[in-house]
Amino acid sequence: MKKLQGCARSQWAVFLQALVFAMFLAQQAAGFEDLRFSVTGGDNALEQGLQRASLLRAAHDEGLSDPFEVFTIARAEYGQLIGLFYEAGYYAPVISIRINGREAADISPLNPPDTIGVIEVQLAAGPPFVFGRAQIGPLAANTELPDGFAAGQAARSTVIRQTASAAIDRWRDLGHAKAEPARQQITARHTAQELDVDIGVDAGPRFTFGQLRPSGQDRTRPDRIVKIAGLPTGKVFSPDEVQRAAERLRRTGTFASVALREAEDGNADGSLDINAAVVEAPLRRIGASIELDTESGAKLSGFWLHRNLLGGAERLRIEAMIGGLAARRGGLDYRFGVEFSRPATFTPDTTLNLGLLVENEREDDFRARRARLDIGLSHRFSDQLTFGAGLGALVEQARFGPTLAIRRDYKLLLVPLTVEWDRRNDARSPTSGTYLKGYLTPFFGVGTADSGARATLDARGYFGFGEDDRFVLAARGQLGAVVGAGIDNTPRDFLFYSGGGGSVRGQPFQSLGVSPGGVRSGGRGFAALSLEGRMRATETIGLTAFADAGYVSEGAFTGPSGWHAGAGLGLRYDTPVGPLRLDVGLPVRGTTGRGPQLYLGIGQAF
């Protein structure tokens, strides 16, 4: 009995200790009980801006309770809020921040409060100021200053900064790389409620480009870095040229980081060197993906990438694919490809491309084995416009027709031409802009193969609206045509089908073709239209509604033809490599009897 009583007393002691400790923690956690925030004067926009910028508001919302940390934030709040007043044009604000009734600025940091119950933030905007004198100079020719920098306009500090930047940037555009503010006199006349601003500019000498001096590279040859950057040595300095040089280096994928900075001092000949600090990305990369289509089954693909094969930022990519796994139709497809690219070939904006493709394709109405070799150049005319041209050779063995009895051997010489116009704000998940890509491939038959040309056009547009473009309307139109060659004498890879994730969702893969002479085949004319409404439900989850339609004709938009359509809903989940896509579609026109179609992949449908 005594032993049990001792155990009970011991348990009560532990309980009381825990209770005291909990009360102590509760007292500590109650360090920031209440925040009272009030603003007099100004407008709603000013008040909302102050609320959003408040460090104390953010700390209160996050549940911060440590008294010393809250006290430190309260003292920093003065500088945070006065900057917001200046940006709005108020230069006589009254800011009071009271902790437990005492002004935070009057509390010594050596004796901070042990507990914090209530913090009162009382703000009085005071009268708005306008510019009295608004002067800056000297200015370069054709300098465009903000409209708000003028006598009588609201004296916002943001306008002053924008004005100084505009003046400096214009001098830099004309080659004065070291242009800087020489003086800045700002006087607030409280009686008149005016702000006088006088900014002096020192343009400095006009420079030409000197040498690009790389640093930080390990495997990449310095001469190749200079060649890829393409800095125009000897020409007048231009910040735009510096930016373009940095972008050329980044586009190679060889470098994880690129920073181009002007040397501190110019050279005796009036030139200015540019220092290029680079950090190389990992030399190799391996990746894999999986796509799922209800009809064509699963497709597994993988690649191996070498980012700097020969020390000159050359890229070698080897990829392989197997498709048709668990497919309802067709059979197993195989693909093996090798791509090599060398940037800065002939010019800094020209890339040499070599490609080899070996492929085996098994569909309901044909079997094909092919090999293709390409060599070409692509030139980037601007950030949006790229043009490519090359030469290629295609060899294909195909069987098609009833019981696959017809056999054709195609041997073609190709002249592929491409043009791309990309004005999207984000290539992976755009919310605005347009995109155009066109292919024209004249081909010349060897032996019994016909000669002709194949052309395709892919046009896309995006329009976002709502807060932070929460809603996006996306549209895509596709056209394709083969001219000059008969259907039987055209490689199967050149003909067009409709249906599946790349054209009409809700319809089985390649379910729409033509039947010349009763033999099912792809067509020589193709058109498709896709519309999507996208909504961002959360930061990572999006919802999509879509409608697609496709058309295939026996000739290049002539002869027997047909069209079908589908619609459905989709789910998107954002990942670092792009949104994970899940679409479910149903046929709207052209019933196939196959039921709903499921599509799973990475990236938006278009």
Side-chain angles (χ1 to χ4, degrees):
M1 185 67 179
K2 291 182 179 180
K3 183 176 181 180
L4 291 175
Q5 289 176 346
C7 290
R9 284 196 297 269
S10 177
Q11 291 173 354
W12 274 105
V14 172
F15 173 76
L16 289 173
Q17 291 174 359
L19 182 61
V20 171
F21 183 66
M23 292 174 63
F24 173 76
L25 289 180
Q27 184 179 16
Q28 291 295 102
F32 194 9
E33 293 178 357
D34 192 15
L35 174 66
R36 300 171 187 174
F37 201 103
S38 65
V39 181
T40 57
D43 53 20
N44 289 335
L46 175 62
E47 181 174 354
Q48 292 174 4
L50 291 167
Q51 291 266 13
R52 286 194 297 266
S54 171
L55 301 175
L56 285 170
R57 173 66 65 188
H60 184 266
D61 292 345
E62 293 174 5
L64 192 66
S65 60
D66 180 79
F68 182 75
E69 192 170 355
V70 172
F71 168 67
T72 303
I73 293 174
R75 289 178 62 88
E77 184 85 317
Y78 294 97
Q80 175 77 358
L81 296 182
I82 199 169
L84 265 292
F85 279 114
Y86 289 173
E87 289 182 0
Y90 294 87
Y91 291 88
V94 177
I95 301 175
S96 175
I97 302 172
R98 294 181 175 272
I99 300 176
N100 299 335
R102 298 174 60 194
E103 192 69 35
D106 296 335
I107 301 175
S108 171
L110 300 178
N111 188 26
D114 295 329
T115 62
I116 297 178
V118 177
I119 296 182
E120 297 174 281
V121 179
Q122 297 177 345
L123 308 175
F129 279 59
V130 297
F131 287 116
R133 294 194 310 273
Q135 299 176 345
I136 185 170
L139 297 176
N142 301 319
T143 301
E144 296 183 5
L145 298 180
D147 294 335
F149 189 70
Q153 297 294 318
R156 300 177 182 273
S157 63
T158 52
V159 173
I160 300 174
R161 290 196 297 269
Q162 292 167 1
T163 299
S165 294
I168 298 300
D169 289 346
R170 180 55 183 162
W171 278 116
R172 284 173 54 81
D173 288 341
L174 297 177
H176 297 262
K178 297 300 181 180
E180 60 182 357
R183 70 179 187 281
Q184 182 173 287
Q185 296 180 350
I186 300 177
T187 304
R189 292 187 286 116
H190 291 266
T191 303
Q193 297 172 17
E194 291 183 342
L195 193 74
D196 294 336
V197 178
D198 184 9
I199 301 175
V201 177
D202 180 8
R206 194 181 193 204
F207 288 101
T208 59
F209 277 115
Q211 301 297 316
L212 184 75
R213 303 194 180 279
S215 63
Q217 71 278 1
D218 181 26
R219 297 176 293 266
T220 311
R221 301 194 304 275
D223 62 305
R224 285 294 294 160
I225 295 177
V226 172
K227 178 69 174 178
I228 294 167
L231 206 66
T233 301
K235 291 187 177 181
V236 174
F237 170 88
S238 166
D240 290 342
E241 287 290 352
V242 176
Q243 183 177 354
R244 279 193 285 269
E247 285 300 319
R248 292 186 187 108
L249 291 169
R250 294 188 186 104
R251 281 198 303 268
T252 65
T254 300
F255 307 104
S257 173
V258 175
L260 267 59
R261 297 184 177 87
E262 302 137 24
E264 290 294 329
D265 300 308
N267 301 317
D269 60 357
S271 64
L272 184 68
D273 294 338
I274 304 296
N275 298 319
V278 300
V279 176
E280 293 177 334
L283 197 59
R284 299 173 183 85
R285 181 184 172 194
I286 298 175
S289 66
I290 179 171
E291 296 181 30
L292 180 64
D293 185 302
T294 304
E295 293 296 319
S296 59
K299 179 169 68 175
L300 304 177
S301 59
F303 70 88
W304 177 87
L305 175 68
H306 196 300
R307 288 189 170 98
N308 196 0
L309 186 65
L310 304 175
E314 302 89 355
R315 291 166 63 92
L316 177 67
R317 179 186 174 102
I318 300 175
E319 61 180 23
M321 183 278 292
I322 177 171
L325 299 169
R328 293 184 181 180
R329 54 187 299 278
L332 290 178
D333 300 330
Y334 306 93
R335 181 184 303 132
F336 176 80
V338 179
E339 298 177 358
F340 173 85
S341 63
R342 181 182 186 270
T345 300
F346 303 123
T347 78
D349 291 306
T350 306
T351 301
L352 171 68
N353 300 296
L354 302 174
L356 171 66
L357 175 68
V358 178
E359 188 174 22
N360 181 78
E361 197 172 2
R362 297 169 61 88
E363 300 298 336
D364 283 349
D365 57 337
F366 73 87
R367 302 285 189 272
R369 293 184 298 172
R370 66 181 65 93
R372 177 168 173 169
L373 179 66
D374 286 281
I375 179 171
L377 296 171
S378 61
H379 184 81
R380 193 178 184 95
F381 288 94
S382 69
D383 291 339
Q384 293 85 30
L385 182 62
T386 303
F387 179 79
L391 296 172
L394 173 67
V395 176
E396 178 178 297
Q397 294 179 348
R399 291 184 178 274
F400 54 93
T403 67
L404 304 179
I406 301 174
R407 173 174 174 170
R408 290 286 189 275
D409 291 337
Y410 305 100
K411 296 178 181 178
L412 303 177
L413 297 178
L414 313 174
V415 185
L417 307 172
T418 64
V419 61
E420 183 178 41
W421 177 254
D422 191 349
R423 301 187 66 184
R424 296 172 294 180
N425 65 332
D426 182 354
R428 293 192 301 184
S429 188
T431 59
S432 65
T434 55
Y435 175 84
L436 288 171
K437 189 163 188 177
Y439 290 90
L440 175 62
T441 306
F443 55 86
F444 304 93
V446 178
T448 58
D450 287 349
S451 299
R454 185 180 193 265
T456 62
L457 176 66
D458 186 352
R460 310 175 190 181
Y462 307 89
F463 175 73
F465 58 97
E467 186 178 357
D468 296 328
D469 290 334
R470 182 184 178 190
F471 301 94
V472 177
L473 295 178
R476 180 187 192 185
Q478 300 178 77
L479 292 174
V482 174
V483 297
I487 284 185
D488 287 357
N489 290 327
T490 299
R492 303 298 96 181
D493 191 41
F494 280 17
L495 299 176
F496 299 101
Y497 294 86
S498 182
S503 55
V504 178
R505 289 161 289 182
Q507 298 286 350
F509 178 68
Q510 293 191 354
S511 57
L512 180 63
V514 295
S515 300
V519 178
R520 189 176 186 279
S521 169
R524 292 188 295 160
F526 167 73
L529 177 65
S530 296
L531 300 174
E532 278 196 356
R534 303 171 183 171
M535 182 187 77
R536 189 174 66 253
T538 69
E539 289 298 319
T540 57
I541 297 176
L543 304 175
T544 300
F546 60 85
D548 304 332
Y551 162 94
V552 177
S553 59
E554 186 173 319
F557 305 108
T558 61
S561 62
W563 72 280
H564 62 179
L569 300 174
L571 181 68
R572 305 290 184 267
Y573 181 80
D574 281 345
T575 71
V577 296
L580 181 64
R581 181 180 77 255
L582 173 64
D583 288 336
V584 179
L586 291 169
V588 174
R589 176 188 170 94
T591 303
T592 62
R594 299 291 182 89
Q597 303 292 303
L598 177 68
Y599 309 94
L600 178 66
I602 294 178
Q604 296 286 3
F606 58 89

Coordinates of all heavy atoms in Angstrom, one line a residue, residues 21-80:
F21 N 5.2 23.8 -16.3 CA 5.9 24.0 -17.6 C 5.0 24.5 -18.7 O 5.3 25.4 -19.5 CB 6.6 22.7 -18.0 CG 7.5 22.9 -19.2 CD1 8.6 23.7 -19.2 CD2 7.2 22.2 -20.4 CE1 9.4 23.8 -20.3 CE2 8.0 22.3 -21.5 CZ 9.1 23.1 -21.5
A22 N 3.8 23.8 -18.7 CA 2.8 24.2 -19.8 C 2.3 25.6 -19.6 O 2.2 26.4 -20.5 CB 1.6 23.3 -19.7
M23 N 2.1 26.1 -18.3 CA 1.7 27.4 -18.0 C 2.8 28.4 -18.4 O 2.5 29.5 -19.0 CB 1.4 27.6 -16.5 CG 0.1 26.8 -16.1 SD -0.1 26.9 -14.3 CE -0.4 28.7 -14.1
F24 N 4.1 28.0 -18.2 CA 5.2 28.9 -18.6 C 5.2 29.0 -20.1 O 5.4 30.1 -20.7 CB 6.5 28.3 -18.1 CG 7.7 29.0 -18.7 CD1 8.1 30.2 -18.1 CD2 8.5 28.4 -19.7 CE1 9.2 30.8 -18.6 CE2 9.6 29.1 -20.2 CZ 10.0 30.3 -19.6
L25 N 5.0 27.9 -20.9 CA 5.0 28.0 -22.3 C 3.8 28.8 -22.8 O 3.9 29.5 -23.8 CB 4.9 26.5 -22.9 CG 6.2 25.7 -22.8 CD1 5.9 24.3 -23.4 CD2 7.4 26.4 -23.4
A26 N 2.7 28.6 -22.2 CA 1.5 29.4 -22.6 C 1.8 30.9 -22.4 O 1.4 31.7 -23.2 CB 0.3 28.9 -21.7
Q27 N 2.4 31.2 -21.3 CA 2.8 32.6 -21.1 C 3.7 33.1 -22.1 O 3.5 34.2 -22.6 CB 3.4 32.8 -19.7 CG 3.7 34.3 -19.3 CD 4.2 34.4 -17.9 OE1 4.7 33.4 -17.3 NE2 4.2 35.6 -17.4
Q28 N 4.7 32.3 -22.5 CA 5.6 32.7 -23.6 C 4.9 32.8 -24.9 O 5.1 33.7 -25.7 CB 6.7 31.7 -23.7 CG 7.7 31.6 -22.5 CD 8.4 32.9 -22.4 OE1 8.1 33.7 -21.5 NE2 9.4 33.1 -23.2
A29 N 3.9 31.8 -25.2 CA 3.3 31.9 -26.5 C 2.3 33.0 -26.6 O 2.0 33.4 -27.7 CB 2.5 30.5 -26.6
A30 N 1.9 33.6 -25.4 CA 1.0 34.7 -25.5 C 1.7 36.0 -25.7 O 1.2 37.1 -25.4 CB 0.2 34.8 -24.2
G31 N 3.0 36.0 -26.1 CA 3.8 37.1 -26.3 C 3.2 38.1 -27.3 O 3.6 39.3 -27.2
F32 N 2.4 37.8 -28.2 CA 1.9 38.7 -29.2 C 0.4 38.4 -29.4 O -0.1 37.7 -30.3 CB 2.6 38.4 -30.6 CG 2.4 39.5 -31.6 CD1 1.8 40.7 -31.3 CD2 2.9 39.3 -32.9 CE1 1.7 41.7 -32.3 CE2 2.7 40.2 -33.9 CZ 2.1 41.4 -33.5
E33 N -0.4 39.0 -28.4 CA -1.8 38.7 -28.4 C -2.6 39.4 -29.4 O -3.5 38.8 -30.1 CB -2.3 39.0 -27.0 CG -1.8 38.2 -25.9 CD -2.3 38.6 -24.5 OE1 -3.1 39.6 -24.5 OE2 -2.0 37.9 -23.5
D34 N -2.3 40.7 -29.6 CA -3.3 41.5 -30.5 C -2.5 42.6 -31.2 O -1.5 43.1 -30.7 CB -4.3 42.2 -29.6 CG -5.5 42.8 -30.4 OD1 -5.6 42.4 -31.6 OD2 -6.2 43.6 -29.8
L35 N -2.9 42.9 -32.4 CA -2.4 43.9 -33.3 C -3.5 44.8 -33.7 O -4.5 44.4 -34.3 CB -1.6 43.3 -34.5 CG -1.1 44.4 -35.5 CD1 0.0 45.2 -34.9 CD2 -0.6 43.7 -36.8
R36 N -3.4 46.1 -33.4 CA -4.4 47.1 -33.8 C -3.7 48.0 -34.8 O -2.8 48.7 -34.4 CB -4.9 47.8 -32.5 CG -5.5 46.9 -31.5 CD -5.9 47.6 -30.2 NE -6.3 46.6 -29.2 CZ -6.6 47.0 -27.9 NH1 -6.4 48.2 -27.5 NH2 -7.0 46.0 -27.1
F37 N -4.3 48.1 -36.0 CA -3.6 48.8 -37.1 C -4.7 49.8 -37.6 O -5.8 49.4 -38.0 CB -3.3 47.8 -38.2 CG -2.3 48.2 -39.2 CD1 -1.0 47.8 -39.1 CD2 -2.6 49.2 -40.2 CE1 0.0 48.2 -40.0 CE2 -1.6 49.6 -41.1 CZ -0.3 49.1 -41.0
S38 N -4.3 51.1 -37.6 CA -5.2 52.1 -38.1 C -4.4 53.1 -38.9 O -3.3 53.4 -38.7 CB -5.9 52.8 -36.9 OG -4.9 53.5 -36.1
V39 N -5.1 53.6 -40.0 CA -4.5 54.6 -40.9 C -5.5 55.8 -41.0 O -6.7 55.5 -41.3 CB -4.2 54.0 -42.2 CG1 -3.6 55.0 -43.2 CG2 -3.3 52.8 -42.1
T40 N -5.1 57.0 -40.9 CA -5.9 58.1 -41.2 C -5.2 58.9 -42.3 O -4.0 59.1 -42.4 CB -6.0 59.0 -39.9 OG1 -4.7 59.4 -39.5 CG2 -6.7 58.3 -38.8
G41 N -6.1 59.4 -43.2 CA -5.6 60.1 -44.4 C -5.3 59.2 -45.5 O -5.3 58.0 -45.3
G42 N -5.0 59.7 -46.6 CA -4.7 58.9 -47.8 C -5.9 58.3 -48.3 O -7.1 58.7 -48.1
D43 N -5.8 57.2 -49.1 CA -6.9 56.5 -49.7 C -6.8 55.1 -49.4 O -5.9 54.6 -48.7 CB -6.9 56.8 -51.2 CG -5.6 56.4 -51.9 OD1 -4.8 55.6 -51.3 OD2 -5.4 56.9 -53.0
N44 N -7.8 54.3 -49.9 CA -7.9 52.9 -49.7 C -6.7 52.2 -50.2 O -6.2 51.2 -49.6 CB -9.2 52.3 -50.3 CG -10.4 52.7 -49.5 OD1 -10.3 53.1 -48.4 ND2 -11.5 52.7 -50.2
A45 N -6.2 52.6 -51.4 CA -5.0 51.9 -52.0 C -3.8 52.1 -51.1 O -3.0 51.1 -50.9 CB -4.7 52.5 -53.4
L46 N -3.6 53.3 -50.5 CA -2.5 53.5 -49.5 C -2.6 52.6 -48.3 O -1.7 51.9 -47.9 CB -2.4 54.9 -49.1 CG -1.4 55.3 -48.1 CD1 0.0 55.0 -48.6 CD2 -1.5 56.7 -47.7
E47 N -3.8 52.5 -47.7 CA -4.0 51.7 -46.5 C -3.8 50.2 -46.8 O -3.1 49.6 -46.0 CB -5.5 51.9 -46.0 CG -5.7 51.1 -44.7 CD -7.1 51.4 -44.1 OE1 -7.8 52.3 -44.6 OE2 -7.4 50.7 -43.1
Q48 N -4.3 49.8 -48.0 CA -4.1 48.4 -48.3 C -2.6 48.1 -48.5 O -2.1 47.0 -48.1 CB -4.9 48.0 -49.5 CG -6.4 48.0 -49.3 CD -7.2 47.8 -50.6 OE1 -6.6 47.5 -51.7 NE2 -8.5 47.9 -50.5
G49 N -1.9 49.0 -49.2 CA -0.5 48.8 -49.4 C 0.3 48.8 -48.1 O 1.2 48.0 -47.9
L50 N -0.1 49.7 -47.1 CA 0.6 49.7 -45.8 C 0.3 48.4 -45.1 O 1.2 47.8 -44.4 CB 0.1 50.9 -45.0 CG 0.6 52.2 -45.5 CD1 -0.2 53.3 -44.8 CD2 2.1 52.4 -45.3
Q51 N -0.9 47.9 -45.1 CA -1.2 46.6 -44.5 C -0.4 45.5 -45.0 O 0.1 44.6 -44.3 CB -2.7 46.3 -44.6 CG -3.6 47.3 -43.9 CD -4.0 46.8 -42.5 OE1 -3.4 45.8 -42.0 NE2 -5.0 47.4 -41.9
R52 N -0.3 45.4 -46.4 CA 0.4 44.3 -47.0 C 1.9 44.4 -46.7 O 2.6 43.4 -46.6 CB 0.2 44.3 -48.5 CG -1.2 43.8 -49.0 CD -1.2 43.6 -50.5 NE -0.9 44.8 -51.2 CZ -1.9 45.6 -51.7 NH1 -3.1 45.3 -51.5 NH2 -1.6 46.6 -52.4
A53 N 2.4 45.6 -46.6 CA 3.9 45.8 -46.4 C 4.3 45.7 -44.9 O 5.5 45.6 -44.6 CB 4.3 47.1 -46.9
S54 N 3.3 45.7 -44.0 CA 3.6 45.7 -42.6 C 4.3 44.4 -42.1 O 3.8 43.3 -42.3 CB 2.3 45.9 -41.8 OG 2.6 45.7 -40.4
L55 N 5.5 44.6 -41.5 CA 6.2 43.4 -41.0 C 5.5 42.9 -39.8 O 5.5 41.7 -39.6 CB 7.6 43.9 -40.6 CG 8.5 44.5 -41.7 CD1 9.8 44.9 -41.1 CD2 8.8 43.4 -42.8
L56 N 4.9 43.7 -39.0 CA 4.1 43.3 -37.8 C 2.9 42.5 -38.2 O 2.5 41.5 -37.6 CB 3.8 44.4 -36.9 CG 4.9 45.1 -36.1 CD1 4.5 46.4 -35.4 CD2 5.4 44.1 -35.0
R57 N 2.2 42.9 -39.2 CA 1.1 42.2 -39.7 C 1.4 40.8 -40.2 O 0.8 39.8 -39.9 CB 0.4 43.0 -40.9 CG -0.7 42.2 -41.6 CD -1.9 42.0 -40.7 NE -2.5 43.3 -40.4 CZ -3.5 43.4 -39.5 NH1 -3.9 42.3 -38.8 NH2 -4.1 44.6 -39.2
A58 N 2.6 40.7 -40.9 CA 3.0 39.4 -41.3 C 3.4 38.5 -40.2 O 3.1 37.3 -40.1 CB 4.2 39.5 -42.3
A59 N 4.0 39.1 -39.1 CA 4.4 38.3 -38.0 C 3.2 37.9 -37.2 O 3.2 36.7 -36.7 CB 5.3 39.2 -37.1
H60 N 2.2 38.7 -37.1 CA 1.0 38.3 -36.4 C 0.3 37.2 -37.1 O -0.2 36.3 -36.5 CB 0.1 39.6 -36.2 CG -1.2 39.3 -35.4 ND1 -2.4 39.0 -36.0 CD2 -1.4 39.3 -34.1 CE1 -3.3 38.8 -35.1 NE2 -2.7 39.0 -33.9
D61 N 0.2 37.3 -38.4 CA -0.5 36.3 -39.2 C 0.2 34.9 -39.1 O -0.4 33.9 -39.2 CB -0.6 36.7 -40.7 CG -1.6 37.9 -40.8 OD1 -2.3 38.2 -39.9 OD2 -1.5 38.6 -41.9
E62 N 1.5 35.0 -39.0 CA 2.3 33.8 -38.9 C 2.3 33.2 -37.4 O 2.8 32.1 -37.2 CB 3.7 34.0 -39.3 CG 3.9 34.3 -40.8 CD 5.3 34.7 -41.2 OE1 6.2 34.6 -40.3 OE2 5.5 35.1 -42.3
G63 N 1.7 33.9 -36.5 CA 1.6 33.4 -35.1 C 2.9 33.6 -34.4 O 3.2 32.8 -33.4
L64 N 3.8 34.5 -34.7 CA 5.1 34.7 -34.1 C 4.8 35.2 -32.6 O 4.0 36.1 -32.4 CB 5.9 35.8 -34.8 CG 7.4 35.9 -34.4 CD1 8.1 34.6 -34.8 CD2 8.0 37.1 -35.1
S65 N 5.5 34.6 -31.6 CA 5.2 34.9 -30.3 C 6.4 35.3 -29.4 O 6.3 35.8 -28.3 CB 4.5 33.7 -29.6 OG 5.4 32.5 -29.7
D66 N 7.6 35.1 -29.9 CA 8.8 35.4 -29.1 C 8.9 36.9 -28.9 O 9.0 37.7 -29.8 CB 10.1 34.9 -29.8 CG 11.3 35.2 -29.0 OD1 11.6 34.5 -28.1 OD2 12.0 36.2 -29.4
P67 N 8.9 37.4 -27.6 CA 8.8 38.8 -27.3 C 10.0 39.6 -28.0 O 9.8 40.7 -28.5 CB 8.8 38.9 -25.8 CG 8.3 37.6 -25.4 CD 8.8 36.6 -26.4
F68 N 11.2 39.1 -27.8 CA 12.3 39.8 -28.3 C 12.3 39.9 -29.9 O 12.6 41.0 -30.4 CB 13.7 39.2 -27.9 CG 14.9 39.9 -28.4 CD1 15.2 41.1 -27.7 CD2 15.6 39.5 -29.4 CE1 16.4 41.8 -28.2 CE2 16.7 40.2 -29.9 CZ 17.1 41.4 -29.2
E69 N 11.9 38.9 -30.5 CA 11.8 38.9 -32.0 C 10.7 39.9 -32.4 O 10.9 40.6 -33.4 CB 11.5 37.5 -32.5 CG 11.7 37.4 -34.0 CD 11.7 35.9 -34.5 OE1 11.6 35.0 -33.6 OE2 11.7 35.7 -35.7
V70 N 9.6 39.9 -31.8 CA 8.5 40.8 -32.1 C 8.9 42.2 -31.9 O 8.7 43.1 -32.7 CB 7.2 40.5 -31.3 CG1 6.2 41.5 -31.5 CG2 6.7 39.1 -31.7
F71 N 9.7 42.5 -30.8 CA 10.2 43.8 -30.5 C 11.1 44.3 -31.6 O 11.1 45.4 -32.0 CB 10.9 43.8 -29.1 CG 11.7 45.0 -28.8 CD1 11.1 46.2 -28.6 CD2 13.1 44.9 -28.7 CE1 11.8 47.4 -28.3 CE2 13.8 46.0 -28.5 CZ 13.2 47.3 -28.3
T72 N 12.0 43.4 -32.0 CA 12.9 43.8 -33.1 C 12.2 44.1 -34.4 O 12.5 45.1 -35.1 CB 13.9 42.6 -33.3 OG1 14.6 42.3 -32.1 CG2 14.9 42.9 -34.4
I73 N 11.2 43.3 -34.7 CA 10.4 43.6 -35.9 C 9.6 45.0 -35.7 O 9.5 45.7 -36.7 CB 9.4 42.5 -36.1 CG1 10.1 41.2 -36.5 CG2 8.3 42.8 -37.2 CD1 9.2 40.0 -36.6
A74 N 9.1 45.3 -34.5 CA 8.4 46.5 -34.3 C 9.3 47.7 -34.6 O 8.9 48.7 -35.2 CB 7.9 46.6 -32.9
R75 N 10.6 47.6 -34.2 CA 11.5 48.8 -34.4 C 11.9 48.9 -35.9 O 12.1 50.0 -36.3 CB 12.8 48.5 -33.6 CG 12.6 48.7 -32.0 CD 13.9 48.4 -31.3 NE 14.9 49.4 -31.6 CZ 15.1 50.5 -31.0 NH1 14.3 50.9 -30.1 NH2 16.1 51.3 -31.4
A76 N 11.9 47.8 -36.6 CA 12.2 47.8 -38.0 C 10.9 48.3 -38.8 O 11.1 48.7 -40.0 CB 12.6 46.5 -38.5
E77 N 9.8 48.3 -38.2 CA 8.5 48.7 -38.9 C 8.5 50.2 -39.3 O 8.0 50.5 -40.4 CB 7.3 48.4 -38.0 CG 6.0 48.7 -38.6 CD 5.5 47.5 -39.5 OE1 6.3 46.9 -40.2 OE2 4.3 47.1 -39.4
Y78 N 9.2 51.0 -38.6 CA 9.2 52.5 -38.9 C 9.8 52.7 -40.3 O 9.2 53.3 -41.2 CB 10.1 53.2 -37.9 CG 9.5 53.3 -36.5 CD1 10.0 52.4 -35.5 CD2 8.6 54.2 -36.1 CE1 9.5 52.4 -34.2 CE2 8.1 54.3 -34.8 CZ 8.5 53.4 -33.9 OH 8.0 53.4 -32.6
G79 N 11.0 52.1 -40.5 CA 11.6 52.3 -41.9 C 10.8 51.6 -43.0 O 10.8 52.1 -44.1
Q80 N 10.2 50.5 -42.7 CA 9.4 49.8 -43.7 C 8.3 50.6 -44.1 O 8.0 50.7 -45.3 CB 8.9 48.4 -43.1 CG 8.0 47.6 -44.0 CD 8.7 46.9 -45.1 OE1 10.0 47.0 -45.2 NE2 8.0 46.2 -45.9

